Amino acid sequence: VTEVGTDTTGLVRRYRSARRDRSLAVLEGFHALKHALRFGAQVEDAVAADSEELKRLAADLAPDLAGALSARVATVGLETIAELVPQAPRTGVVAIARRPEVDVAAVLTDERTAPLVLLEEPRTMGNMGACVRVAAAADAAGVLTTGDNDPWHPDALRGAAGLHYALPVAAIEAVPQGDRPLIAVDPGGEDLRRGAIPPRAILAFGTERHGLSDALLERADARVGIPMREGVSSLNLATSVAVVLFSQRV
Ligand SMILES: C[S@@+](CC[C@H](N)C(=O)[O-])C[C@H]1O[C@@H](n2cnc3c(N)ncnc32)[C@H](O)[C@@H]1O
């Protein structure tokens, strides 16, 4: 762990411009950096407020990465961390890494049976991150999003604890064509049961307020719904991704 000098102006500028740079990812928090390194991120810069705390976290939570972490992370004061990102993470660790190139065509033609998660115009960054996190845990083939929101936004990365590096995550222009079955996951669909999802399915989830678009519902090969107690209208987006992915695994 190396100490950074007192003039941190360049560092602050670098982190602030990285937030707007679509080739870079800003990682906030120890877990985000840990997962990014574990899943092969090319880390360009990493700083921590407290080198002793970083060593403790690495020893407790990432012994596999302890060497890599102490070699890469420089120490700066907590007040500097607070200038680098809008909300300093509790662990006092922030980093910049390169975003990987995602070959969407290759993701779509991947022959593995794992499903691919499609989020139609997701609105909240935390939700997007939580979807990526659970998709990584369930070993899904990837997460694709439509709409204006960047799935690699720092807040989404924070919500995913950096697990964007564990599977392909990309924004796409439109619902993909191809040979994967398109399954609309919608409260009005047929009750979800084990085996209801065909191999290599694209599982489409709708936007938080309005659900799936009519166009997607019409195009879908099937609609599945998670049965709910009467009176409950819907589940949270990331919760439904978790239920559907893990319902087919347990
Ligand atoms: C918060 S919900 C949208 C609620 C919207 N008013 C609707 O009725 O679809 C966001 C997305 O989560 C998924 N979802 C939520 N609850 C669900 C359920 N019980 N069954 C299937 N999908 C569900 C759907 O993909 C939905 O579009």
Side-chain angles (χ1 to χ4, degrees):
V1 180
T2 50
E3 300 278 336
V4 167
T6 47
D7 184 7
T8 54
T9 320
L11 194 66
V12 172
R13 200 178 306 125
R14 195 156 178 220
Y15 273 79
R16 291 189 182 175
S17 77
R19 295 185 87 74
R20 299 184 297 274
D21 185 335
R22 292 237 170 177
S23 69
L24 297 176
V26 178
L27 303 166
E28 299 174 355
F30 175 81
H31 296 283
L33 177 59
K34 171 193 77 178
H35 282 136
L37 283 171
R38 192 173 279 157
F39 290 102
Q42 198 182 322
V43 174
E44 297 214 324
D45 192 86
V47 289
D50 180 342
S51 59
E52 289 309 310
E53 174 65 3
L54 176 69
K55 280 189 204 147
R56 261 194 305 280
L57 286 167
D60 286 352
L61 304 169
D64 54 319
L65 298 172
L69 280 162
S70 55
R72 276 161 202 264
V73 183
T75 314
V76 296
L78 187 56
E79 63 292 346
T80 303
I81 299 282
E83 283 189 78
L84 302 185
V85 291
Q87 196 189 349
R90 206 174 35 81
T91 53
V93 177
V94 292
I96 298 173
R98 296 213 70 77
R99 296 189 192 191
E101 296 274 335
V102 176
D103 181 346
V104 174
V107 173
L108 290 168
T109 53
D110 183 351
E111 287 299 327
R112 280 197 316 144
T113 56
L116 183 56
V117 173
L118 171 67
L119 306 178
E120 201 183 29
E121 304 196 8
R123 296 273 189 257
T124 67
M125 299 296 169
N127 246 342
M128 269 201 279
C131 292
V132 169
R133 189 173 188 166
V134 74
D139 202 15
V143 177
L144 302 178
T145 64
T146 63
D148 294 338
N149 285 326
D150 176 14
W152 283 81
H153 186 283
D155 295 346
L157 275 155
R158 194 171 177 142
L163 280 162
H164 288 59
Y165 288 91
L167 78 176
V169 176
I172 53 171
E173 291 287 316
V175 177
Q177 307 282 344
D179 65 348
R180 285 180 180 265
L182 178 63
I183 307 297
V185 184
D186 181 76
E190 271 197 35
D191 277 3
L192 178 68
R193 48 181 176 74
R194 202 160 196 277
I197 309 293
R200 301 183 65 250
I202 295 179
L203 297 172
F205 297 85
T207 190
E208 288 89 336
R209 175 86 51 97
H210 303 295
L212 285 165
S213 64
D214 290 343
L216 194 141
L217 286 169
E218 274 156 32
R219 237 191 81 185
D221 299 298
R223 298 180 193 182
V224 297
I226 303 161
M228 295 177 296
R229 178 182 172 181
E230 211 179 313
V232 177
S233 39
S234 70
L235 296 168
N236 158 272
L237 171 59
T239 305
S240 22
V241 174
V243 170
V244 177
L245 288 178
F246 279 97
S247 70
Q248 306 302 300
R249 287 174 60 90
V250 291

